[in-house]
Amino acid sequence: ARTWFDQSIATFDGMGAPFEAARTQVEVAGLLSSTGHRDEATARARAGLATLRSLGLESHAAHAAGLRQATAP
């Protein structure tokens, strides 16, 4: 699943779709968190959060922020 998510992020980045790339980063963070990869989950959630905030999408950013807090060591 990680490979597919990473390919999706690269595709979204390549086509100039930052919302979709950020949303997918948050989904990857959830997957990583559930499989015990907390450090990488935190990094992915942080990346998604930064992009969502830069786009002014606070409702989506709130979800990413909650995930980042939940995964932080």
Side-chain angles (χ1 to χ4, degrees), residues 35-58:
T35 58
H37 296 92
R38 294 176 67 91
D39 292 341
E40 189 175 356
T42 300
R44 297 285 190 125
R46 186 176 293 130
L49 173 62
T51 300
L52 292 167
R53 282 194 173 145
S54 75
L55 294 170
L57 300 169
E58 285 304 316

Side-chain angles (χ1 to χ4, degrees), residues 15-42:
M15 58 192 273
F19 168 73
E20 294 299 338
R23 188 184 60 78
T24 305
Q25 284 281 29
V26 173
E27 293 301 321
V28 172
L31 171 69
L32 292 168
S33 177
S34 71
T35 58
H37 296 92
R38 294 176 67 91
D39 292 341
E40 189 175 356
T42 300

